[in-house]
């Protein structure tokens, strides 16, 4: 009996020790800072183009009124709401963080956040790593909104507004369409600076590809890149080369830009380049078909070579709904090449203001300081560039009804990019 009582006493003592130990452990845990135990939820990365501080890695939650913003990717919310129209990606909701995590920053974190907040814009820009290759000098961002930068920024806002209104009025069904690889087949990708460029031929596309290749580190200077290397070297990837997830990610997070040109001027530039000079592709493919269909009593030599197409014959082909040979990117509509009603472009430049627009864009993406948009003429350098005056001389060869039909053909480009009617008799 005495042995049994002693055993029970020992068991009670052991249980008491365990209970005191558990209570002590709980008390120790409760005294720890909850921020040490709970993983903090980090907001998604913001990709912003800002007038004063064009960074892609500003502190979470920061904002500036009147800034020009690129699309934003937020990991902490359903990103399908941020997708371009027609693209949907369902992402499960992330786990919720500690309700007071934002308010309970450690003293060192709070001090660093306060210092960044109080720093001038220029010093803050220097404190945050630039979006460029390591070690390369980057051009300074427009620090103060002086008149020139404000004007360029407002110009961008107006262009996007006009384009958006045209899409809303004439492409109402576009928002319900899905973006396919065909819609992005003319978009080139530069991953280092996260740039997407939609190629519009005869609107500075050769020089823009040179700039992208320098940004990508494929060349040290735009002057080193020959025409064939730029167009046929395959150095730059197209967006449709990626899978659907890669396309969607870049459309959301990269800065998307295109450059356009007055439609009649672009058409004349394409005609001069492709039909007034020897060309081993356009003469036999397009020239022969155009001469056979639209020139009465064409000579055997013309039909054999396809050379000597006249501008009125070329326009006849362009306006023929039963044209003998298909369309070509050099004179196709920009609205078809770049799908601006499906792809939400962040920057719309114009050939007519190329130097200002291009260098403003390079400043916004923090391109290397020594990189500027090249001015040299890519082909047939001895000839004058196609101007409004040269364009009028070519269109003077057409009848008034032909000019009207040509204007109707490019009407959406005139409307979306806010170009005025080139002739007074057009309606």
């Amino acid at each position: 009996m005495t042995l049994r009582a002693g055993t029970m006493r020992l068991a009670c003592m052991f249980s008491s020790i365990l209970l005191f130990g558990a209570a002590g452990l709980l008390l120790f845990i409760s005294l720890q800072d909850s921020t040490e135990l709970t993983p903090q939820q980090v907001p998604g990365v913001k990709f912003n183009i800002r007038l004063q501080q064009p960074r892609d890695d500003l502190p979470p939650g920061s904002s500036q009124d009147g800034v020009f913003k690129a699309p934003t990717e937020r990991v902490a919310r359903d990103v399908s709401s941020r997708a371009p129209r027609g693209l949907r990606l369902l992402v499960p909701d992330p786990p919720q963080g500690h309700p007071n995590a934002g308010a309970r920053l450690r003293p060192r974190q709070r001090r660093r956040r306060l210092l960044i907040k109080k720093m001038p814009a220029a010093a803050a820009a220097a404190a945050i790593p630039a979006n460029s290759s390591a070690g390369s000098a980057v051009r300074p961002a427009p620090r103060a909104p002086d008149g020139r930068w404000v004007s360029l920024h407002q110009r961008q806002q107006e262009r996007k507004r006009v384009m958006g209104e045209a899409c809303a009025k004439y492409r109402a069904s576009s928002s319900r369409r899905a973006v396919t690889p065909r819609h992005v087949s003319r978009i080139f990708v530069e991953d280092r600076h996260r740039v997407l460029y939609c190629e519009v031929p005869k609107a500075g596309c050769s020089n823009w590809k040179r700039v992208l290749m320098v940004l990508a580190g494929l060349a040290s200077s735009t002057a080193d890149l020959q025409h064939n290397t730029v167009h046929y070297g395959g150095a730059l990837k197209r967006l449709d080369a990626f899978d659907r997830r890669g396309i969607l990610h870049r459309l959301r997070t990269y800065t998307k830009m295109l450059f356009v040109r007055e439609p009649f001027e672009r058409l004349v530039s394409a005609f001069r380049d492709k039909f007034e000079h020897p060309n081993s592709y356009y003469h036999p493919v397009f020239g022969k078909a155009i001469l056979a269909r639209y020139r009465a009593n064409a000579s055997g030599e013309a039909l054999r070579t396809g050379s000597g197409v006249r501008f009125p014959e070329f326009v006849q082909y362009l306006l023929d709904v039963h044209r003998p040979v298909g369309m070509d990117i050099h004179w196709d509509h920009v609205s078809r090449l770049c799908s601006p009603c499906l792809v939400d472009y962040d920057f719309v430049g114009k050939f007519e203001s190329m130097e200002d627009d291009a260098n403003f864009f390079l400043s916004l993406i923090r391109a290397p300081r020594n990189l500027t948009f090249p001015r040299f003429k890519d082909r047939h350098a001895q000839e004058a560039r196609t101007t409004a005056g040269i364009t009028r001389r070519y269109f003077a060869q057409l009848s008034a009804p032909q000019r009207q039909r040509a204007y109707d053909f490019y009407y959406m480009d005139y409307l979306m990019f806010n170009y005025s009617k080139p002739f007074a008799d057009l309606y």
Side-chain angles (χ1 to χ4, degrees):
M1 196 69 183
T2 305
L3 179 62
R4 185 172 182 180
T7 303
M8 292 179 64
R9 199 165 25 249
L10 287 172
C12 289
M13 290 175 62
F14 184 69
S15 299
S16 299
I17 292 171
L18 286 178
L19 287 173
F20 278 114
L25 179 61
L26 289 173
L27 178 62
F28 174 77
I29 291 174
S30 66
L31 292 175
Q32 301 303 304
D33 186 355
S34 62
T35 59
E36 298 287 344
L37 302 175
T38 306
Q40 296 183 11
Q41 300 301 311
V42 181
V45 180
K46 289 186 176 182
F47 295 90
N48 293 335
I49 295 182
R50 299 182 178 276
L51 186 62
Q52 291 186 339
Q53 192 172 325
R55 316 291 303 195
D56 66 323
D57 49 4
L58 288 175
S62 60
S63 62
Q64 294 171 329
D65 293 334
V67 297
F68 174 62
K69 295 183 178 180
T72 301
E73 183 187 30
R74 291 181 181 271
V75 177
R77 60 178 63 174
D78 180 7
V79 295
S80 65
S81 64
R82 287 283 185 181
R85 290 185 292 271
L87 283 175
R88 294 291 181 267
L89 179 64
L90 297 179
V91 176
D93 292 335
Q96 296 299 316
H98 192 283
N100 295 323
R104 301 178 66 175
L105 294 173
R106 299 190 188 94
R108 182 178 297 179
Q109 289 176 311
R110 286 198 301 268
R111 184 171 179 272
R112 184 176 180 276
R113 185 74 58 85
L114 186 62
L115 285 174
I116 292 176
K117 186 176 180 181
K118 288 185 175 181
M119 288 165 68
I128 305 173
N131 176 26
S132 62
S133 57
S136 62
V138 295
R139 68 178 67 236
R143 293 174 184 145
D146 59 28
R148 180 168 173 269
W149 291 110
V150 169
S151 174
L152 291 169
H153 174 63
Q154 291 174 343
R155 176 191 292 177
Q156 281 301 311
Q157 291 181 315
E158 177 64 12
R159 288 174 183 172
K160 284 176 61 83
R161 182 192 66 79
V162 171
M163 189 170 67
E165 288 181 356
C167 287
K169 185 174 182 179
Y170 293 97
R171 298 282 192 265
S173 63
S174 293
S175 61
R176 297 189 296 272
R177 295 171 59 194
V179 174
T180 67
R182 181 186 68 80
H183 293 121
V184 297
S185 62
R186 306 310 311 174
I187 296 180
F188 287 85
V189 180
E190 199 286 288
D191 284 313
R192 265 192 180 182
H193 294 76
R194 297 191 294 274
V195 172
L196 298 181
Y197 163 64
C198 186
E199 174 191 32
V200 177
K202 313 313 298 180
C205 69
S206 298
N207 282 335
W208 265 117
K209 287 182 181 179
R210 289 183 172 94
V211 170
L212 293 182
M213 290 175 72
V214 172
L215 287 173
L218 302 173
S220 58
S221 169
T222 55
D224 299 335
L225 297 167
Q226 300 299 315
H227 178 85
N228 287 347
T229 303
V230 169
H231 287 287
Y232 310 117
L236 293 172
K237 272 192 172 184
R238 298 176 191 264
L239 189 53
D240 63 348
F242 296 87
D243 61 16
R244 183 172 178 80
R245 184 175 180 180
I247 292 173
L248 183 60
H249 168 70
R250 286 167 176 81
L251 284 174
R252 278 206 197 100
T253 62
Y254 284 26
T255 303
K256 302 175 290 294
M257 64 102 166
L258 77 159
F259 271 71
V260 299
R261 188 176 185 177
E262 202 281 336
F264 278 10
E265 190 174 308
R266 176 172 166 253
L267 180 67
V268 171
S269 177
F271 174 78
R272 294 175 71 200
D273 181 24
K274 306 306 179 187
F275 295 101
E276 292 186 348
H277 300 275
N279 192 295
S280 60
Y281 173 73
Y282 284 91
H283 290 188
V285 174
F286 289 88
K288 289 168 69 172
I290 290 172
L291 292 172
R293 173 71 69 90
Y294 307 110
R295 181 178 294 182
N297 303 317
S299 68
E301 178 68 11
L303 294 174
R304 185 181 66 81
T305 64
S307 301
V309 173
R310 302 182 188 113
F311 187 67
E313 295 166 337
F314 173 64
V315 173
Q316 276 186 283
Y317 143 78
L318 183 72
L319 301 177
D320 190 347
V321 294
H322 303 294
R323 60 180 70 93
V325 62
M327 283 293 289
D328 183 81
I329 61 172
H330 289 83
W331 46 83
D332 204 351
H333 313 80
V334 176
S335 53
R336 278 169 47 97
L337 292 172
C338 296
S339 303
C341 292
L342 285 174
V343 177
D344 185 15
Y345 287 94
D346 306 299
F347 192 96
V348 181
K350 289 192 174 183
F351 185 86
E352 294 77 16
S353 54
M354 178 64 80
E355 186 172 357
D356 280 347
D357 290 349
N359 291 320
F360 180 48
F361 178 79
L362 292 174
S363 291
L364 291 172
I365 66 168
R366 301 302 298 276
R369 184 189 299 270
N370 61 349
L371 178 60
T372 57
F373 191 80
R375 295 184 178 185
F376 56 82
K377 194 171 184 286
D378 190 55
R379 286 159 61 83
H380 317 304
Q382 72 283 0
E383 289 186 352
R385 291 186 186 274
T386 301
T387 61
I390 290 175
T391 299
R392 292 185 72 86
R393 290 203 296 271
Y394 276 81
F395 272 83
Q397 302 173 40
L398 306 180
S399 64
Q402 282 180 311
R403 287 197 298 270
Q404 182 63 54
R405 289 184 60 206
Y407 177 74
D408 294 341
F409 183 81
Y410 287 112
Y411 177 72
M412 279 304 298
D413 284 359
Y414 273 99
L415 184 68
M416 292 182 72
F417 304 112
N418 203 23
Y419 284 108
S420 57
K421 294 177 182 179
F423 294 95
D425 59 350
L426 297 174
Y427 56 85

